[in-house]
């Protein structure tokens, strides 16, 4: 049977674009449909704009630090409007780059929503039906609101980039990557930030010592973090109870679009904390974009939470249909989606079946300070085998000189039997950059003695990774 395309990709995010370009480079005819902006979550409403906001918020401390170093400069004031204009211009530019990369690779772009008709056919919202030998679903995910009666009163992470002006105050619900990153970003931009997390400590799943230091640093900077706390009641400001029980309400919030059009709200926490907020951000997780795609009708099996079930080669239960990225819910990170896309192309168009290796993935949480991590947490490693822990926490030279109390953490978790470094955890400015490099050594199976044999770069923070001589504990 003759098909319109060798490959049709549904979704123009990191995974879909990479697969389309790489497949086209093998000589395959490729079509791609995207119903929103090209670039997907990472480029348009995730990693990229978030990181630019991390940079923006970091400058708040610069004048005070610079004065300590002898510069005569006054404190500045952050203005959201010019930043947002510049941010939007940059995102438009990047979207253009993505489109151009696809076009110059020979990929046919369909600006349309695509749904599956059957194992080899895709129906576009333009009315067109196209056929393909292989179909790749790379539709990503979306923020998910909690299942509660007040969920509609708050915003989600997508809405932050659309703020007309910054809110004066915000309540952030959740303790994962997105909640913690935005708590730090918005605090750094001058917003009064309160955070409710239902568990005992933020960043569940990360190394306990590392998450403890991040949480301590967030509080020390002025983020009002409430652990073991959920929302008990939440109402539009106009419907708030006349008298607020616990102390005086916070300053009356300005009515504005800073709330994403939802208006200010009154919130009562399960710990009794009551306050008014300009807006509430639900950072309570993300869900796969698998609904309404015709997947079930085409015979594609769905897994937990609506994710698309795939094997090690990203193949679904329908042999001609593959899926990569967040819609499969394996490890929801952009570089992982890109790896899955590359392995898919190698398998299907390169003639080499290539499974995706999801072990030892380095990642960073862009809080202030950053958390960089690769491998096992101390807790996970201890459950697996006898370990040694090498750890140091100190005030780094640059900020200590400026009189700031910030501490950093450098930690290695080592196997007693093989001496291999099983995990590395860094809490420090630039930890994301450092962990990328530590990740190479650990991926190669470096032992503690390999680290020790490496000469230190002095004076740096990361030199501690190769100078820690005695374990702080064995377990
Ligand atoms: P996460 O799953 O990381 O965190 C969700 C948080 O919300 C958890 O703290 C969870 O609590 C809490 N939560 C869930 N449901 C409720 C509820 N009903 N009420 C109250 N709290 C609730 O999701 P994120 O949205 O933060 O991030 C999604 C994914 O995006 C991440 O897994 C990550 O892979 C990716 N990401 C990566 C980034 C990076 O690499 N720097 C940055 C941003 C996102 P509990 O812990 O108790 O379950």
């Amino acid at each position: 049977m003759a098909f319109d395309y060798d490959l049709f990709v549904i979704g123009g995010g990191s995974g879909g674009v990479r697969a389309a370009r790489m497949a086209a480079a093998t000589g395959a005819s490729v079509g791609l449909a995207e119903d929103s902006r090209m670039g997907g979550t990472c480029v348009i409403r995730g990693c990229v704009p978030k990181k630019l906001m991390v940079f923006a918020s970091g400058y708040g401390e610069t004048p005070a630090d610079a004065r300590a170093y002898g510069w005569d400069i006054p404190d500045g004031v952050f203005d959201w409007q010019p930043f947002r204009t510049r941010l939007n211009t940059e995102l438009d530019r990047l979207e253009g780059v993505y489109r151009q990369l696809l076009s110059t690779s020979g990929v046919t772009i369909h600006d349309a929503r695509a749904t599956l008709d059957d194992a080899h056919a895709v129906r576009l919202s333009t009315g067109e039906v196209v056929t393909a030998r292989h179909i790749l679903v790379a539709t990503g995910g979306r923020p998910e609101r909690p299942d509660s009666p007040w969920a509609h009163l708050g915003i989600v992470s997508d809405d932050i980039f659309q703020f007309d002006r910054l809110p004066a105050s915000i309540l952030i619900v959740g303790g994962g990557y997105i909640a913690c990153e935005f708590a730090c970003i918005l605090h750094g931009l001058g917003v009064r930030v309160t955070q409710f997390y239902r568990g005992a400590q933020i960043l569940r799943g990360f190394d306990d010592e590392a998450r403890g230091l991040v949480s301590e640093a967030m509080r020390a900077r002025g983020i009002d973090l409430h652990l073991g706390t959920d929302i008990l009641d939440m109402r539009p400001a106009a419907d708030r109870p006349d008298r607020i029980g616990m102390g005086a309400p916070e300053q009356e919030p300005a009515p504005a679009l800073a709330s994403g059009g939802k208006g200010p709200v009154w919130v009562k926490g399960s710990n009794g904390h009551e306050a008014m907020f300009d807006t509430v951000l639900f950072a309570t997780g993300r869900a796969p974009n698998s609904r309404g795609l015709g997947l079930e009708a085409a015979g594609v099996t769905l897994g937990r939470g609506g994710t698309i079930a795939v094997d090690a080669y990203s193949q679904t239960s329908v042999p001609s249909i593959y899926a990569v990225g967040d819609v499969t819910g394996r490890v929801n990170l952009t570089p992982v989606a890109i790896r899955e896309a590359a392995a898919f192309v190698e398998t299907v168009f390169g003639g080499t079946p290539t499974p995706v290796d999801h072990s030892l993935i380095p990642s960073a949480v862009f809080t202030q300070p950053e958390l960089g991590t690769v491998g096992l947490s101390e807790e996970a490693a201890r459950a697996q085998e006898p370990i040694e822990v090498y750890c140091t926490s100190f005030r780094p030279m640059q900020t200590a000189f400026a009189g700031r109390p910030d501490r950093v953490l450098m930690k290695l978790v080592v196997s007693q039997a093989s001496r291999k470094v099983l995990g590395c955890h860094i809490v420090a400015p630039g930890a994301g950059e450092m962990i990328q490099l530590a990740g190479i050594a650990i991926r190669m199976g470096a032992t503690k003695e390999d680290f020790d044999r490496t000469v230190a770069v002095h004076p740096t923070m990361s030199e501690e990774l190769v100078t820690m001589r005695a374990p702080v504990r064995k377990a």
Side-chain angles (χ1 to χ4, degrees), residues 255-327:
L257 256 183
S259 52
K262 309 280 182 188
V265 286
W266 168 84
V267 174
K268 181 173 184 177
S270 56
N271 61 350
H273 181 86
E274 294 181 32
M276 297 282 296
F277 297 98
D278 226 356
T279 190
V280 173
L281 166 69
F282 290 109
T284 48
R286 295 178 62 86
N289 281 328
S290 59
R291 240 182 279 148
L293 286 175
L295 288 163
E296 295 94 325
V300 174
T301 304
L302 296 185
R304 211 160 53 93
T307 53
I308 298 181
V310 289
D311 67 11
Y313 303 94
S314 299
Q315 192 172 31
T316 71
S317 52
V318 177
S320 59
I321 303 177
Y322 288 72
V324 295
D326 287 7
V327 75

Side-chain angles (χ1 to χ4, degrees), residues 41 46-47 50 142-148 157 173-182 195-206 211 229-231 282-287 326 330-335 362-367 371:
T41 298
C47 321
K50 180 279 302 286
R142 61 179 190 286
E144 185 155 77
R145 290 164 194 274
D147 183 18
S148 66
S157 59
V173 182
Y177 282 83
I178 294 180
C180 296
E181 289 182 346
F182 276 114
Q195 186 177 353
F196 282 4
Y197 173 52
R198 62 185 180 183
Q201 186 54 280
I202 55 169
L203 297 170
R204 184 165 60 83
F206 289 88
R211 60 210 274 252
T229 305
D230 219 334
I231 294 180
F282 290 109
T284 48
R286 295 178 62 86
D326 287 7
R330 287 174 281 183
V331 179
N332 293 350
L333 296 171
T334 292
S363 72
V365 188
F366 294 99
T367 39
L371 165 57

